[in-house]
């Protein structure tokens, strides 16, 4: 048999005067049984919970035979042991109509106390791991774990805690589905930084300094950048388009990429605006890309994503980095393009039968000029680009009427996608 005083633990758990360890347990003042002022189920529950917690703590502090005797006597001694006090202060003092219920609680307490005292003794008497495995030294952690499971305040027979596994956020789900559509067409995923320079967010995308097109982007600038040249100043990217240039700097044509990511704008939050939102960008560059390729690719992608019955429509627009530029609409997948739902007007498409989904266009030759040295000579290559808001698409797809719900983290809302 191993020595009754397990190594590592017993000495350090005793205080300087050699007092039994349980007096040092987390509870500084030793537990005492208090009188019950009311005998309701709740009061009984609270009183016994307090007792069980003290019992568990004191049992875990037992490190050797001497500790155990003190522990046993404190709880079991006929004269003034905790159980005797429980009998006096809880059961005997109880009014007749509460006796039955208090009696049951006291019985449970008795059982638990006996079990803990026996458990502590079993542990002390357990054959040593060191004896069962000669030459093996039990570590303090192993001993602690063994002690904890055997007599500690953990009841290993209770069922475990169920941790919910969670679910994909609707914006992430939408993004992944859209990205997948383009991956199937041979696009690869590219990403870039959220804190961006003025050069990548604006200048290289053909927004010259002070050009009014910058005003449409409600930019959030990083403070304290004035000392730097304008193109080096930092900001929160207002769109995922800077990743077009960043990727073209690294990879030579032909190129087909899809770019998911977060972007920021100085928009006050409301039902359709959030200062942080998500975009999905695309770029295809090769030696002979035409507007027909743009239309065919996006029409196919929308049919894959929304269903084969949607139609697409392209309307002229302006972006500094594409020429010509367009906005693409899809026929309303909620009302089927009729603008009405039964006798009601269709709200998502504002009764037009069309929903604006993205901006797109042919890459402006001025953009290629910035990456000309990496094989993007504007006389030799052409390409198309597009960008869409993932949150907006998720709102429409799932019939959510407030973008704020996506970012408040209320699990009652998010659980609907589990
Ligand atoms: N970056 C634009 C925005 O955030 C969206 C966009 C439009 C991206 C046209 C493109 C594009 O790549 O070709 O408003």
């Amino acid at each position: 048999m191993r020595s009754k005083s397990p190594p590592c633990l017993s000495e350090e758990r005793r205080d300087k005067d050699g007092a039994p360890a349980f007096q040092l347990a987390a509870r500084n003042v030793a537990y005492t049984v208090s009188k019950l002022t009311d005998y309701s189920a709740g009061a009984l529950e609270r009183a016994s919970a307090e007792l069980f917690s003290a019992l568990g703590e004191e049992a875990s502090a037992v490190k050797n035979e001497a500790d155990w005797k003190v522990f046993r006597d404190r709880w079991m001694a006929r004269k003034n042991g905790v159980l005797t006090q429980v009998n006096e202060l809880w059961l005997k003092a109880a009014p007749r109509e509460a006796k039955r219920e208090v009696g049951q609680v006291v019985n449970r307490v008795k059982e638990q106390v006996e079990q803990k005292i026996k458990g502590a003794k079993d542990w002390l008497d357990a054959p040593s791991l060191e004896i069962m495995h000669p030459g093996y030294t039990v570590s303090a952690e192993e001993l602690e774990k063994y002690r904890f499971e055997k007599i500690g305040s953990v009841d290993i027979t209770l069922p475990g805690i169920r941790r919910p596994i969670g679910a994909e956020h609707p914006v992430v789900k939408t993004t992944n589905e859209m990205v997948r559509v383009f991956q199937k067409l041979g696009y690869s995923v590219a990403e870039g930084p959220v804190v961006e320079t003025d050069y990548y967010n604006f200048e290289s995308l053909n927004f010259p300094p002070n050009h009014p097109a910058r005003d449409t982007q409600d930019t959030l600038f990083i403070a304290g950048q004035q000392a730097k040249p304008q193109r080096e100043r930092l900001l929160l990217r207002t769109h995922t388009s800077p990743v077009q240039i960043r990727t073209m700097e690294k990879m030579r044509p032909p190129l087909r990429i899809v770019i998911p990511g977060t972007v920021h704008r100085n928009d006050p939050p409301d039902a359709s605006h959030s200062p942080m939102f998500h975009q999905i960008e695309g770029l295809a560059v090769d030696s002979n890309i035409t507007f027909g390729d743009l239309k065919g690719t996006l029409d196919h992608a929308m049919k894959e994503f929304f269903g084969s019955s949607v139609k697409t429509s392209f309307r002229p627009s302006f972006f500094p980095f594409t020429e010509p530029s367009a906005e693409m609409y899809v026929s309303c997948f909620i009302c089927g393009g009729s603008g009405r739902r039964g006798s009601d007007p269709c709200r998502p498409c504002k009764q037009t039968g069309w929903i604006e989904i993205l901006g797109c266009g042919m890459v402006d030759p001025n953009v290629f000029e910035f990456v000309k040295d990496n094989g993007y000579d504007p006389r030799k290559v052409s390409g198309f680009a597009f960008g869409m808001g993932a949150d907006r698409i998720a709102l429409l797809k799932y019939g959510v009427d407030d973008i704020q719900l996506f970012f408040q983290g209320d699990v009652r809302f998010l659980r609907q996608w589990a």
Side-chain angles (χ1 to χ4, degrees):
M1 295 290 278
R2 124 190 95 142
S3 104
K4 293 288 189 228
S5 175
C8 312
L9 292 173
S10 64
E11 293 311 317
E12 63 199 32
R13 289 292 169 97
R14 284 172 159 265
D15 73 7
K16 287 190 210 79
D17 308 326
F22 67 77
Q23 290 185 353
L24 289 179
R27 187 187 301 277
N28 284 329
V29 181
Y31 168 79
T32 52
V33 184
S34 44
K35 273 197 190 130
L36 295 177
T37 46
D38 88 80
Y39 294 87
S40 64
L44 286 170
E45 176 73 32
R46 275 192 300 280
S48 45
E50 196 196 349
L51 180 144
F52 289 142
S53 133
L55 177 67
E57 273 177 31
E58 293 183 20
S60 339
V62 170
K63 295 294 176 300
N64 54 40
E65 201 84 16
D67 286 352
W68 180 77
K69 280 191 177 139
V70 176
F71 173 56
R72 179 198 59 190
D73 294 347
R74 174 167 146 72
W75 287 81
M76 302 274 277
R78 285 257 163 76
K79 225 173 122 192
N80 244 352
V82 175
L83 277 186
T84 307
Q85 288 176 40
V86 165
N87 240 346
E88 296 288 325
L89 296 176
W90 294 7
L91 189 57
K92 285 200 183 142
R96 172 131 21 110
E97 64 279 10
K99 284 258 197 267
R100 220 172 81 91
E101 214 152 318
V102 179
Q104 283 170 354
V105 171
V106 171
N107 278 343
R108 239 184 303 132
V109 168
K110 230 182 250 166
E111 266 168 36
Q112 277 288 318
V113 170
E114 281 163 10
Q115 197 193 319
K116 286 285 177 199
I117 288 172
K118 183 174 175 315
K121 183 78 170 120
D122 284 350
W123 175 71
L124 289 173
D125 292 344
S128 159
L129 283 171
E130 284 155 0
I131 288 171
M132 294 196 313
H133 305 279
Y136 183 77
T137 313
V138 178
S139 70
E141 291 85 55
E142 280 171 310
L143 207 53
E144 182 81 327
K145 183 166 178 282
Y146 179 74
R147 179 189 60 71
F148 200 57
E149 287 176 358
K150 186 87 183 166
I151 56 163
S153 40
V154 169
D155 180 347
I156 60 168
T157 64
L158 287 174
I161 297 165
R162 198 179 288 271
R163 293 180 199 281
I165 48 173
E168 231 174 14
H169 188 283
V171 173
V172 174
K173 194 173 158 83
T174 303
T175 303
N176 286 344
E177 282 169 13
M178 189 63 84
V179 165
R180 189 84 200 104
V181 166
F182 287 95
Q183 282 182 313
K184 281 205 255 170
L185 291 173
Y187 285 58
S188 37
V189 175
E191 287 181 302
V194 176
V195 178
E196 195 43 286
T197 60
D198 184 282
Y199 175 77
Y200 286 110
N201 197 75
F202 290 126
E203 190 181 334
S204 64
L205 289 167
N206 200 32
F207 292 77
N210 305 318
H211 193 280
R214 289 178 172 226
D215 298 347
T216 64
Q217 302 251 337
D218 300 309
T219 312
L220 290 160
F221 294 94
I222 307 282
Q225 302 282 303
Q226 284 75 1
K228 293 184 184 167
Q230 179 163 19
R231 54 165 52 183
E232 287 170 29
R233 291 183 200 164
L234 297 173
L235 45 81
L236 296 181
R237 70 177 178 195
T238 56
H239 50 178
T240 40
S241 307
V243 187
Q244 292 189 23
I245 296 284
R246 284 188 173 274
T247 312
M248 286 192 283
E249 282 178 349
K250 283 188 287 209
M251 296 166 75
R252 299 176 67 85
L255 186 69
R256 280 166 184 73
I257 50 170
V258 57
I259 308 155
T262 52
V263 303
H264 292 77
R265 290 194 195 178
N266 186 17
D267 283 328
D270 63 24
S272 52
H273 293 86
S274 161
M276 185 281 302
F277 58 104
H278 299 80
Q279 289 191 337
I280 305 162
E281 182 96 11
L283 172 69
V285 185
D286 207 334
S287 50
N288 215 353
I289 301 256
T290 67
F291 201 87
D293 296 317
L294 178 160
K295 287 182 75 173
T297 304
L298 291 179
D299 183 74
H300 167 85
M302 294 305 119
K303 288 184 161 65
E304 277 272 303
F305 187 85
F306 292 110
S308 55
S309 60
V310 299
K311 295 195 197 85
T312 52
S313 160
F314 293 80
R315 307 184 188 174
S317 184
F318 173 79
F319 300 101
F321 40 92
T322 45
E323 182 62 31
S325 303
E327 264 146 21
M328 190 198 71
Y329 289 69
V330 298
S331 55
C332 180
F333 42 87
I334 292 145
C335 66
S338 68
R340 303 201 67 78
R341 294 167 86 180
S343 53
D344 294 329
C346 180
R347 282 218 293 154
C349 68
K350 302 190 190 90
Q351 303 180 62
T352 62
W354 293 95
I355 293 180
E356 187 196 330
I357 291 290
L358 53 77
C360 58
M362 300 305 290
V363 179
D364 192 305
N366 289 347
V367 171
F368 285 137
E369 285 291 335
F370 287 95
V371 282
K372 194 166 55 182
D373 295 344
N374 201 28
Y376 295 89
D377 181 340
R379 285 164 307 181
K380 297 197 180 128
V381 296
S382 58
F384 66 79
F386 57 88
M388 61 190 109
D391 323 78
R392 217 175 92 75
I393 295 174
L395 287 173
L396 291 165
K397 180 164 178 178
Y398 295 114
V400 175
D401 57 12
D402 185 350
I403 194 174
Q404 300 305 322
L405 288 165
F406 285 151
F407 308 123
Q408 286 163 343
D410 185 332
V411 288
R412 291 168 303 178
F413 171 75
L414 297 172
R415 210 176 269 144
Q416 298 175 78
W417 286 270

